[in-house]
Amino acid sequence: MTKNGKAGRGPSRRSVLKGSLMTASLAGVGAFYGPWHHNRAYAQSKKPIKLGLTNDAGGQFGNSGQDEHRAIRMVIDEWNARGGVLGRKIEWVTADTESSPAAGTRVAERFITREDCPILIGALHSGVANAITQVANKYGTIFLNTNSSAPSEAGENCSRIKFVWDGNGTNFSKAAVANAVKSIGKNWLLLTNDYVWGHSTAAATKALVEANGGKIIDNLLVPQNTRDFTSYLLKIQQIKPQVVGTAIAGDDNKALREQITQLKLDSAGGPAWINNQQDWPDVWGSPQSLFGVFGTTWYHKLDLPGVPEFVKKWQDANKNGPIPVPGNVSYNGYMATQELFRAMERAGSTNNIAIIKALEGHKMSAKDRMQHFDAYIDPVTHQVQQTIYLCRKNTKPVDNTDHFEIMSWAEPKDVLDDAAPTKCKLVPYDKVPSVDA
């Protein structure tokens, strides 16, 4: 590891840390928990670039974690088929981050210090993303946060080494809240997952409701991994808000939706529901209970150039997968990994500082991203500013995968998280340990 901002091979993290890691293991403190898996590129003259894929396989976001994992591997296979990046093949190692910050910390430490991975990719749970960030910060390891969407990820928990590829809770709220206050009602109740994404998303929703003349009657906090929402739904029936704004994710969201439809709380006479974001793997698992208005970053039925071809390519690469079409989660994973490799090619280097500079401020065309508007990587917060789509359940599907009706799409400038730049403080480049893959 070199200590300047220039590209250079230097001793690897593995050689630097080998002695201390052996000591820790002998002392019984170097344990690693959970199954993990390697992929080895075939023998070649140049050292492969090794990626650590920090994807959930279990826990609240297990389905989404494996969906992004399939998309990341798809990009790796595509680049390897044409010779790799800068003439070097790409290898990967993965382990289950379990939707748990503690597991995320263990996996990140393992990948960096024992597996010698200079880049980590993948995240759903924002607490896990922040935990991985703290580990990556120590070593200068680039971390692509593919799918966790807490506003704090591009705000107070931002980092020079981290790039955030999903829309966040503020972006999605901005697309929906103002119109809902004006057209539906001013009395709102919030239903919030009790962790960092839920809290920061609810805070963003509250600020927007109040800024548009509405008020929050109550905010009901729901523990993660809740499966029985009866007490919360009964309270909503008693309070009778005009609008319920939810920040409930993963398997919790599927359970909530099913129980709301069973109680007919989504029918006429009940409150309107603004569901901040709906991830495709969660919807696919229970499409019959989809209701309300919600946001997304991409949909496989968008009438845009390149979308049908991408869907076909994804299906060919995932013929035995549990979900027949790509969604927003696999889309974000694919785009993040694609832009990483392109940044390496632009920089002509695998040095972390060179890659970071190649990503910061990078502009991406609407055509290339299969969205309605051009996108860019904010150089101040490292979040991808992109088109945000507002959706509802499709009552006239063209096939059995067509669950969303796209109601509108917003330009990045209209849904910007204005608070993030004031909270995000990126350290100078010379404060980041320089790492070359």
Side-chain angles (χ1 to χ4, degrees):
M1 182 184 299
T2 59
K3 292 297 183 182
N4 54 53
K6 298 180 181 179
R9 295 301 297 272
S12 71
R13 285 178 300 279
R14 182 177 295 172
S15 62
V16 170
L17 295 170
K18 182 177 179 182
S20 60
L21 285 170
M22 184 174 293
T23 301
S25 296
L26 290 172
V29 296
F32 172 73
Y33 301 93
W36 52 291
H37 180 62
H38 278 283
N39 171 262
R40 297 290 188 194
Y42 53 79
Q44 58 212 286
S45 58
K46 294 183 179 180
K47 176 186 174 184
I49 299 167
K50 191 172 185 181
L51 308 177
L53 308 187
T54 54
N55 307 128
D56 290 352
Q60 185 175 355
F61 295 103
N63 291 329
S64 288
Q66 290 307 287
D67 204 41
E68 69 176 1
H69 178 78
R70 287 186 287 272
I72 294 166
R73 287 180 55 182
M74 177 178 163
V75 185
I76 294 171
D77 290 344
E78 289 174 358
W79 280 74
N80 275 338
R82 55 179 185 257
V85 178
L86 299 174
R88 296 167 61 184
K89 292 291 183 175
I90 306 147
E91 292 182 355
W92 53 267
V93 60
T94 191
D96 183 6
T97 43
E98 304 174 22
S99 303
S100 160
T105 297
R106 292 194 299 269
V107 169
E109 283 279 1
R110 171 87 190 207
F111 285 176
I112 296 169
T113 63
R114 298 191 184 188
E115 296 299 325
D116 205 24
C117 297
I119 298 167
L120 306 179
I121 309 177
L124 268 299
H125 188 293
S126 295
V128 174
N130 187 37
I132 294 171
T133 304
Q134 302 314 309
V135 178
N137 276 334
K138 294 189 297 182
Y139 303 103
T141 303
I142 290 175
F143 170 41
L144 303 187
N145 173 356
T146 47
N147 274 290
S148 67
S149 51
S152 54
E153 279 297 286
E156 58 267 33
N157 293 334
C158 72
S159 171
R160 181 70 72 181
I161 53 86
K162 175 169 63 180
F163 292 85
V164 181
W165 294 86
D166 197 7
N168 72 25
T170 299
N171 303 142
F172 293 115
S173 291
K174 276 197 165 185
V177 169
N179 182 63
V181 171
K182 295 172 184 175
S183 62
I184 301 173
K186 295 184 177 181
N187 295 326
W188 286 54
L189 180 143
L190 303 181
L191 193 61
T192 305
N193 256 156
D194 192 8
Y195 75 104
V196 60
W197 170 76
H199 290 294
S200 53
T201 296
T205 302
K206 179 177 184 292
L208 288 166
V209 169
E210 293 176 346
N212 285 279
K215 63 179 180 179
I216 304 299
I217 301 170
D218 204 346
N219 182 9
L220 307 181
L221 296 180
V222 180
Q224 292 180 78
N225 299 309
T226 293
R227 294 296 175 267
D228 185 357
F229 286 85
T230 303
S231 62
Y232 302 99
L233 298 179
L234 288 174
K235 192 166 186 178
I236 290 170
Q237 286 180 310
Q238 294 166 359
I239 295 175
K240 293 182 172 32
Q242 292 171 295
V243 184
V244 178
T246 72
I248 306 291
D251 289 344
D252 293 10
N253 182 270
K254 285 190 288 186
L256 171 64
R257 294 199 327 262
E258 290 170 358
Q259 289 165 47
I260 287 171
T261 54
Q262 288 169 5
L263 292 174
K264 302 189 185 311
L265 280 176
D266 59 327
S267 59
W273 295 80
I274 304 295
N275 304 315
N276 190 265
Q277 179 186 15
Q278 297 283 274
D279 284 336
W280 183 248
D282 301 332
V283 172
W284 184 255
S286 183
Q288 72 280 357
S289 62
L290 188 63
F291 66 90
V293 174
F294 51 89
T296 191
T297 54
W298 190 80
Y299 185 54
H300 70 286
K301 295 288 188 182
L302 287 172
D303 186 17
L304 292 172
V307 173
E309 292 81 4
F310 176 77
V311 172
K312 177 66 166 55
K313 182 171 65 172
W314 190 92
Q315 290 174 326
D316 289 343
N318 296 280
K319 291 180 180 179
N320 298 317
I323 303 176
V325 293
N328 63 302
V329 171
S330 49
Y331 168 83
N332 287 335
Y334 184 92
M335 287 296 170
T337 311
Q338 180 83 290
E339 292 300 340
L340 168 70
F341 297 158
R342 288 174 175 175
M344 290 177 175
E345 295 276 350
R346 288 196 305 275
S349 173
T350 56
N351 174 262
N352 63 333
I353 304 300
I355 296 168
I356 288 168
K357 289 181 177 180
L359 287 170
E360 288 177 334
H362 178 58
K363 296 179 180 179
M364 298 161 283
S365 71
K367 181 179 179 181
D368 193 47
R369 282 183 57 82
M370 301 175 289
Q371 292 179 318
H372 278 77
F373 301 106
D374 292 347
Y376 66 95
I377 301 175
D378 193 319
V380 177
T381 65
H382 284 192
Q383 185 191 1
V384 174
Q385 306 298 335
Q386 62 187 294
T387 309
I388 296 295
Y389 295 92
L390 207 57
C391 317
R392 63 187 174 194
K393 183 176 182 177
N394 190 355
T395 58
K396 298 179 180 180
V398 298
D399 59 37
N400 63 2
T401 72
D402 189 16
H403 300 310
F404 290 1
E405 177 188 350
I406 304 293
M407 301 165 60
S408 63
W409 44 89
E411 293 188 59
K413 66 181 179 64
D414 294 329
V415 292
L416 279 175
D417 181 355
D418 300 322
T422 66
K423 297 176 180 179
C424 176
K425 305 298 179 186
L426 301 178
V427 301
Y429 300 112
D430 61 7
K431 300 295 183 184
V432 179
S434 182
V435 179
D436 192 20

